């Protein structure tokens, strides 16, 4: 039987449908794509923003970094608040902040204000995904029909689709009215989320008011992540104090969370949930390889292969198309272990294929390498999301989902650091092959921790009849 959630029954006056309330899908999906669309649109806006403010690339890069830092910290923190106070209010506050950040960015008089707007965007976009996972779990508890594969697929496919079209949309907006529109577009998106959220998201009775917020734990977690991510973005010997601060903060954080009655991250429960911890590690490994290919291969196409920026973007279309088709076709079947094993094997094959790529390689080989690595992107992300849904404590599904996204962003930062290490001066073929070996090692490790994991075979929904009987 589905465990009862702390959020309790609905308090809406409208009758709830017998099955999954499909009215929830629109606000869930629209809110969840706010982060990937803002992550991808900014890629084409960095140059015009730098020209507008007279800022070099090293400074405009903080527009990307600021969003990653804020989101990596904000996802688990806001996810915990979703668990405590229910998804509706956090969803509305978060998507409302997105609109405020959009206006702030559009009217920004300086690059510093623009970076602050990106930080606010990061926190605002951190609410919708944990809220969506919490709502999905609540609907399963309400209906007794534990079959969320279609909903989880919709969340995954919509995020991947928006990430693909984000740079194109950003280019259209910049062409129509300048880089300001990349921020302004968040205002109507925020308004749509607020209207849909107020209209369809259920009011729930929560026990959050009787719980104490672990503010010191949240603060320690934020310091831990920020110090770690700042070092990963620029690993240098003179920044030795950052990993030292990370380790010291981690020790204090662990000691506190094991002692307080209502911890931000319940390490006692998490420590006993080894399968969930392994899922987080898989997420880190999978996205380190994914982002290393996205960053490293794109730069090599332009510098090592000599393609123009627009042509290099077109060369990545098979990657995006393969990921979207794979996620759409396989999404309805959970098959977590099969997806993880198949995705790991294909990722290894794709990384090995990069070792065959050179400056004189035919175009078909360049396209094939991208298509081959697109398939595991469609499999691994969806498998991790489904595994977390099955493995996480139902009462902490929001914070667990936030941590899953945090590990994804840690993978992105690790990939960025690896790309910088293998391309110290320019993206040449030797650097690409070194990066491919790095990706190959990570993919092999992913397969090695997946094959012996017997718990994956038990991650299947119970029959509907059994749920009703229970």
């Amino acid at each position: 039987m589905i465990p009862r959630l702390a959020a309790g029954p609905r308090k809406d006056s409208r009758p709830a449908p017998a099955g999954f309330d499909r009215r929830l899908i629109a606000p869930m999906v629209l809110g969840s794509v706010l982060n990937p669309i803002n992550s991808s649109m900014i890629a084409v806006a960095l140059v015009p923003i730098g020209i507008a403010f007279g800022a070099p690339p090293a400074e405009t890069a903080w527009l990307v970094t600021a969003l990653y830092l804020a989101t990596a910290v904000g996802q688990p923190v806001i996810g915990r608040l979703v668990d405590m106070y229910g998804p509706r209010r956090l969803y509305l506050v978060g998507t409302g902040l997105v609109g405020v950040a959009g206006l702030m960015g559009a009217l920004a008089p300086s690059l510093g204000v623009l970076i602050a707007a990106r930080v606010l965007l990061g926190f605002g976009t951190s609410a919708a995904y944990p809220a969506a996972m919490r709502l999905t779990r609540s609907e399963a508890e309400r209906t007794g029909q534990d079959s969320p594969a279609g909903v989880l697929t919709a969340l995954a496919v919509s995020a991947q689709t928006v990430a693909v079209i984000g740079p194109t949309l950003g280019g259209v907006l910049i062409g129509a009215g300048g880089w300001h529109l990349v921020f302004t577009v968040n205002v109507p998106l925020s308004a749509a989320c607020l209207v849909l959220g107020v209209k369809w998201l259920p009011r729930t009775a929560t026990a959050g008011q009787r719980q104490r917020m672990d503010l010191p734990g949240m603060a320690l977690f934020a310091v831990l992540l920020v110090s770690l991510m700042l070092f990963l973005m620029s690993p240098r010997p003179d920044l030795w104090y950052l990993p030292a601060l990370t380790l010291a903060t981690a020790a204090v954080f662990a000691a506190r969370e094991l002692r307080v009655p209502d911890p931000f991250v319940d390490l006692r429960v998490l420590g006993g949930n080894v399968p969930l911890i392994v899922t987080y590690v898989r997420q880190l490994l999978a996205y380190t390889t994914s982002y290393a290919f996205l960053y490293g291969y794109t730069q090599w196409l332009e510098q090592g292969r000599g393609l123009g920026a627009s042509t290099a973007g077109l060369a990545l279309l098979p990657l995006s198309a393969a990921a979207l088709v794979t996620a759409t076709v396989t999404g309805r079947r959970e098959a977590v272990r099969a997806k993880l094993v198949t995705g790991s094997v294909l990722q290894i094959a794709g990384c090995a294929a990069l070792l065959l790529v050179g400056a004189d390689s035919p175009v078909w080989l360049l396209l094939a390498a991208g298509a081959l690595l697109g398939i595991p992107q469609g499999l691994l992300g969806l498998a991790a999301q489904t595994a977390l849904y099955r493995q996480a404590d139902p009462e902490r599904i929001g914070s667990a989902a936030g941590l899953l996204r945090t590990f994804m962003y840690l993978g992105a930062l690790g990939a960025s650091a690896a790309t910088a290490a293998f391309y110290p001066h320019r993206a040449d073929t030797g650097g690409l092959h070194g990066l491919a070996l790095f990706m190959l090692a990570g993919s092999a490790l992913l397969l090695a921790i997946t094959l012996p994991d017997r718990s994956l075979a038990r991650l299947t929904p119970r029959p509907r009849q059994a749920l009703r009987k229970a």
Side-chain angles (χ1 to χ4, degrees):
M1 185 174 181
I2 300 287
R4 301 293 294 181
L5 296 179
R10 297 179 172 220
K11 300 182 71 175
D12 291 297
S13 58
R14 69 182 188 273
F20 188 96
D21 191 348
R22 296 190 175 275
R23 295 171 295 188
L24 301 176
I25 294 178
M28 286 166 59
V29 169
L30 184 58
S32 296
V33 302
L34 291 176
N35 190 274
I37 198 170
N38 278 287
S39 297
S40 55
M41 281 195 306
I42 196 68
V44 294
L46 294 176
V47 172
I49 289 173
I51 293 174
F53 292 111
E59 293 182 11
T60 58
W62 276 100
L63 293 169
V64 177
T65 303
L67 186 75
Y68 275 140
L69 282 171
T71 306
V73 174
Q75 287 273 356
V77 171
I78 297 177
R80 179 60 182 138
L81 296 177
V82 167
D83 291 330
M84 294 173 64
Y85 299 106
R88 177 187 169 93
R89 66 183 72 181
L90 270 300
Y91 178 96
L92 295 177
V93 171
T95 53
L97 284 178
V98 171
V100 174
L103 282 176
M104 181 178 172
L107 302 175
S110 66
L111 182 63
V113 175
L114 207 58
I115 292 172
R118 291 284 288 179
V119 172
L120 192 60
L121 264 177
F123 285 118
T125 59
S126 293
Y129 180 70
M133 293 294 283
R134 180 74 178 192
L135 285 166
T136 302
R137 196 66 183 79
S138 298
E139 283 297 284
E141 185 271 340
R142 179 184 66 81
T143 62
Q145 299 175 7
D146 191 21
S147 183
V151 179
L152 296 180
T153 300
L155 292 174
V157 171
S158 60
Q160 289 179 347
T161 303
V162 166
V164 170
I165 68 173
T168 303
L169 175 61
V172 171
L173 291 173
I174 291 171
W179 62 264
H180 298 83
L181 290 185
V182 171
F183 288 85
T184 309
V185 72
N186 285 291
V187 177
L189 289 175
S190 170
C193 287
L194 290 173
V195 170
L196 291 171
V198 169
K199 186 175 180 61
W200 298 124
L201 296 187
R203 293 180 175 87
T204 53
T206 70
Q209 291 83 353
R210 296 191 300 270
Q211 297 180 6
R212 294 183 60 185
M213 290 180 59
D214 182 16
L215 294 178
M218 292 179 178
L220 287 169
F221 182 81
V223 172
L224 188 161
L225 268 187
V226 170
S227 59
L228 173 62
M229 296 173 76
L230 286 175
F231 181 74
L232 289 177
M233 285 184 293
S234 182
R236 304 194 311 268
D238 60 308
L239 297 178
W240 60 267
Y241 58 90
L242 288 176
L245 177 61
T246 300
L247 292 175
T249 307
V252 176
F253 174 74
R256 174 182 171 78
E257 299 302 280
L258 290 171
R259 189 179 69 252
V260 297
D262 293 312
F264 164 53
V265 177
D266 196 339
L267 297 179
R268 289 160 295 198
V269 174
L270 187 61
N273 194 344
V274 176
L276 180 59
I277 295 175
V278 176
T279 292
Y280 289 140
V281 175
R282 289 195 191 97
Q283 180 86 336
L284 173 66
L285 292 173
Y287 277 93
T288 298
T289 297
S290 176
Y291 278 107
F293 177 77
L294 183 63
Y295 298 153
Y297 193 59
T298 305
Q299 292 182 58
W300 177 83
L301 286 173
E302 295 183 39
Q303 295 186 337
R305 185 64 170 75
L307 301 181
S310 58
T311 306
L314 291 174
L316 291 179
L317 283 179
L319 170 78
S320 304
L324 291 174
V325 171
T326 301
T328 303
V329 171
T330 65
R332 290 268 175 193
R333 297 188 60 187
E334 294 198 356
V336 174
R337 187 178 189 278
K339 288 178 181 178
L340 288 171
V341 172
T342 304
S344 301
V345 170
L346 290 177
Q347 205 170 66
I348 290 172
C351 295
L354 289 181
L355 297 174
L356 304 177
V357 169
D360 56 350
S361 296
V363 174
W364 68 264
L365 181 58
L366 305 182
L367 299 178
L372 181 57
L373 279 165
I375 298 174
Q377 282 193 23
L379 293 172
L380 296 174
L382 188 55
Q385 181 177 257
T386 304
L388 174 127
Y389 178 83
R390 299 290 175 199
Q391 295 166 338
D393 177 2
E395 295 188 359
R396 289 178 174 264
I397 188 69
S399 53
L403 278 173
L404 188 71
R405 285 288 181 95
T406 295
F407 276 86
M408 180 180 78
Y409 294 124
L410 286 174
L413 289 171
S416 179
T419 302
F422 286 105
Y423 295 156
H425 305 295
R426 65 187 305 274
D428 55 19
T429 300
L432 175 66
H433 290 169
L435 187 62
L437 290 174
F438 168 79
M439 295 160 56
L440 187 62
S443 301
L445 181 57
L446 176 61
L447 180 62
I449 64 175
T450 300
L451 284 176
D453 191 348
R454 297 181 180 180
S455 68
L456 295 172
R458 298 190 292 270
L459 296 181
T460 55
R462 296 186 181 185
R464 189 172 299 180
Q465 295 83 355
L467 290 171
R468 289 175 177 170
K469 184 177 180 181

